[in-house]
PDB file of all heavy atoms in Angstrom:
ATOM      1  N   ASN A 236      30.576   3.659   6.465  1.00 54.00           N
ATOM      2  CA  ASN A 236      30.945   5.028   6.775  1.00 54.00           C
ATOM      3  C   ASN A 236      32.163   5.127   7.738  1.00 54.00           C
ATOM      4  O   ASN A 236      32.036   4.846   8.903  1.00 54.00           O
ATOM      5  CB  ASN A 236      29.761   5.797   7.373  1.00 54.00           C
ATOM      6  CG  ASN A 236      28.671   6.058   6.344  1.00 54.00           C
ATOM      7  OD1 ASN A 236      28.780   6.901   5.548  1.00 54.00           O
ATOM      8  ND2 ASN A 236      27.636   5.193   6.408  1.00 54.00           N
ATOM      9  N   VAL A 237      33.281   5.434   7.152  1.00 53.00           N
ATOM     10  CA  VAL A 237      34.551   5.558   7.947  1.00 53.00           C
ATOM     11  C   VAL A 237      35.145   6.928   7.898  1.00 53.00           C
ATOM     12  O   VAL A 237      36.351   7.066   8.102  1.00 53.00           O
ATOM     13  CB  VAL A 237      35.557   4.463   7.450  1.00 53.00           C
ATOM     14  CG1 VAL A 237      35.101   3.082   7.746  1.00 53.00           C
ATOM     15  CG2 VAL A 237      35.773   4.683   5.961  1.00 53.00           C
ATOM     16  N   SER A 238      34.339   7.929   7.630  1.00 57.00           N
ATOM     17  CA  SER A 238      34.811   9.308   7.582  1.00 57.00           C
ATOM     18  C   SER A 238      35.282   9.781   8.911  1.00 57.00           C
ATOM     19  O   SER A 238      34.715   9.521   9.925  1.00 57.00           O
ATOM     20  CB  SER A 238      33.684  10.228   7.077  1.00 57.00           C
ATOM     21  OG  SER A 238      34.085  11.566   7.153  1.00 57.00           O
ATOM     22  N   PRO A 239      36.463  10.488   8.933  1.00 63.00           N
ATOM     23  CA  PRO A 239      37.016  10.978  10.210  1.00 63.00           C
ATOM     24  C   PRO A 239      36.133  12.074  10.814  1.00 63.00           C
ATOM     25  O   PRO A 239      36.138  12.255  12.011  1.00 63.00           O
ATOM     26  CB  PRO A 239      38.378  11.470   9.813  1.00 63.00           C
ATOM     27  CG  PRO A 239      38.289  11.797   8.359  1.00 63.00           C
ATOM     28  CD  PRO A 239      37.398  10.788   7.789  1.00 63.00           C
ATOM     29  N   ASP A 240      35.384  12.748  10.002  1.00 77.00           N
ATOM     30  CA  ASP A 240      34.515  13.813  10.494  1.00 77.00           C
ATOM     31  C   ASP A 240      33.131  13.213  10.706  1.00 77.00           C
ATOM     32  O   ASP A 240      32.312  13.006   9.817  1.00 77.00           O
ATOM     33  CB  ASP A 240      34.432  14.936   9.398  1.00 77.00           C
ATOM     34  CG  ASP A 240      33.588  16.099   9.939  1.00 77.00           C
ATOM     35  OD1 ASP A 240      32.980  16.018  10.994  1.00 77.00           O
ATOM     36  OD2 ASP A 240      33.553  17.162   9.193  1.00 77.00           O
ATOM     37  N   GLN A 241      32.854  12.931  11.989  1.00 82.00           N
ATOM     38  CA  GLN A 241      31.615  12.236  12.324  1.00 82.00           C
ATOM     39  C   GLN A 241      30.412  13.036  11.998  1.00 82.00           C
ATOM     40  O   GLN A 241      29.417  12.501  11.514  1.00 82.00           O
ATOM     41  CB  GLN A 241      31.608  11.939  13.822  1.00 82.00           C
ATOM     42  CG  GLN A 241      30.420  11.106  14.335  1.00 82.00           C
ATOM     43  CD  GLN A 241      30.355   9.768  13.751  1.00 82.00           C
ATOM     44  OE1 GLN A 241      31.384   9.084  13.569  1.00 82.00           O
ATOM     45  NE2 GLN A 241      29.203   9.303  13.373  1.00 82.00           N
ATOM     46  N   GLU A 242      30.420  14.326  12.201  1.00 83.00           N
ATOM     47  CA  GLU A 242      29.273  15.199  11.914  1.00 83.00           C
ATOM     48  C   GLU A 242      28.907  15.219  10.448  1.00 83.00           C
ATOM     49  O   GLU A 242      27.749  15.050  10.041  1.00 83.00           O
ATOM     50  CB  GLU A 242      29.537  16.600  12.378  1.00 83.00           C
ATOM     51  CG  GLU A 242      28.341  17.566  12.281  1.00 83.00           C
ATOM     52  CD  GLU A 242      27.338  17.337  13.428  1.00 83.00           C
ATOM     53  OE1 GLU A 242      27.635  16.584  14.319  1.00 83.00           O
ATOM     54  OE2 GLU A 242      26.263  17.951  13.348  1.00 83.00           O
ATOM     55  N   THR A 243      29.928  15.285   9.586  1.00 86.00           N
ATOM     56  CA  THR A 243      29.745  15.302   8.148  1.00 86.00           C
ATOM     57  C   THR A 243      29.234  13.971   7.683  1.00 86.00           C
ATOM     58  O   THR A 243      28.304  13.872   6.814  1.00 86.00           O
ATOM     59  CB  THR A 243      31.059  15.649   7.397  1.00 86.00           C
ATOM     60  OG1 THR A 243      31.528  16.925   7.823  1.00 86.00           O
ATOM     61  CG2 THR A 243      30.819  15.662   5.894  1.00 86.00           C
ATOM     62  N   ALA A 244      29.781  12.871   8.189  1.00 87.00           N
ATOM     63  CA  ALA A 244      29.361  11.531   7.840  1.00 87.00           C
ATOM     64  C   ALA A 244      27.861  11.291   8.237  1.00 87.00           C
ATOM     65  O   ALA A 244      27.090  10.743   7.498  1.00 87.00           O
ATOM     66  CB  ALA A 244      30.261  10.490   8.490  1.00 87.00           C
ATOM     67  N   SER A 245      27.533  11.738   9.453  1.00 88.00           N
ATOM     68  CA  SER A 245      26.153  11.605   9.938  1.00 88.00           C
ATOM     69  C   SER A 245      25.145  12.335   9.092  1.00 88.00           C
ATOM     70  O   SER A 245      24.097  11.836   8.788  1.00 88.00           O
ATOM     71  CB  SER A 245      26.058  11.999  11.417  1.00 88.00           C
ATOM     72  OG  SER A 245      26.898  11.190  12.264  1.00 88.00           O
ATOM     73  N   LEU A 246      25.542  13.578   8.743  1.00 90.00           N
ATOM     74  CA  LEU A 246      24.652  14.407   7.943  1.00 90.00           C
ATOM     75  C   LEU A 246      24.415  13.766   6.604  1.00 90.00           C
ATOM     76  O   LEU A 246      23.286  13.678   6.077  1.00 90.00           O
ATOM     77  CB  LEU A 246      25.269  15.782   7.752  1.00 90.00           C
ATOM     78  CG  LEU A 246      24.457  16.716   6.776  1.00 90.00           C
ATOM     79  CD1 LEU A 246      23.058  16.947   7.301  1.00 90.00           C
ATOM     80  CD2 LEU A 246      25.172  18.036   6.602  1.00 90.00           C
ATOM     81  N   GLN A 247      25.480  13.195   5.968  1.00 89.00           N
ATOM     82  CA  GLN A 247      25.330  12.631   4.631  1.00 89.00           C
ATOM     83  C   GLN A 247      24.437  11.355   4.710  1.00 89.00           C
ATOM     84  O   GLN A 247      23.585  11.159   3.866  1.00 89.00           O
ATOM     85  CB  GLN A 247      26.685  12.220   4.066  1.00 89.00           C
ATOM     86  CG  GLN A 247      26.688  11.778   2.592  1.00 89.00           C
ATOM     87  CD  GLN A 247      25.982  12.737   1.703  1.00 89.00           C
ATOM     88  OE1 GLN A 247      26.366  13.925   1.648  1.00 89.00           O
ATOM     89  NE2 GLN A 247      24.998  12.313   0.933  1.00 89.00           N
ATOM     90  N   VAL A 248      24.672  10.524   5.686  1.00 91.00           N
ATOM     91  CA  VAL A 248      23.826   9.327   5.885  1.00 91.00           C
ATOM     92  C   VAL A 248      22.370   9.757   6.069  1.00 91.00           C
ATOM     93  O   VAL A 248      21.447   9.140   5.501  1.00 91.00           O
ATOM     94  CB  VAL A 248      24.353   8.464   7.033  1.00 91.00           C
ATOM     95  CG1 VAL A 248      23.363   7.338   7.362  1.00 91.00           C
ATOM     96  CG2 VAL A 248      25.734   7.862   6.681  1.00 91.00           C
ATOM     97  N   ASN A 249      22.193  10.765   6.929  1.00 92.00           N
ATOM     98  CA  ASN A 249      20.814  11.176   7.198  1.00 92.00           C
ATOM     99  C   ASN A 249      20.147  11.737   5.947  1.00 92.00           C
ATOM    100  O   ASN A 249      18.945  11.499   5.751  1.00 92.00           O
ATOM    101  CB  ASN A 249      20.805  12.257   8.295  1.00 92.00           C
ATOM    102  CG  ASN A 249      20.969  11.679   9.665  1.00 92.00           C
ATOM    103  OD1 ASN A 249      20.693  10.513   9.897  1.00 92.00           O
ATOM    104  ND2 ASN A 249      21.455  12.477  10.611  1.00 92.00           N
TER     105      ASN A 249
END
Side-chain angles (χ1 to χ4, degrees):
N236 291 283
V237 292
S238 172
D240 184 353
Q241 183 63 40
E242 186 78 7
T243 303
S245 297
L246 175 61
Q247 187 57 51
V248 171
N249 282 337

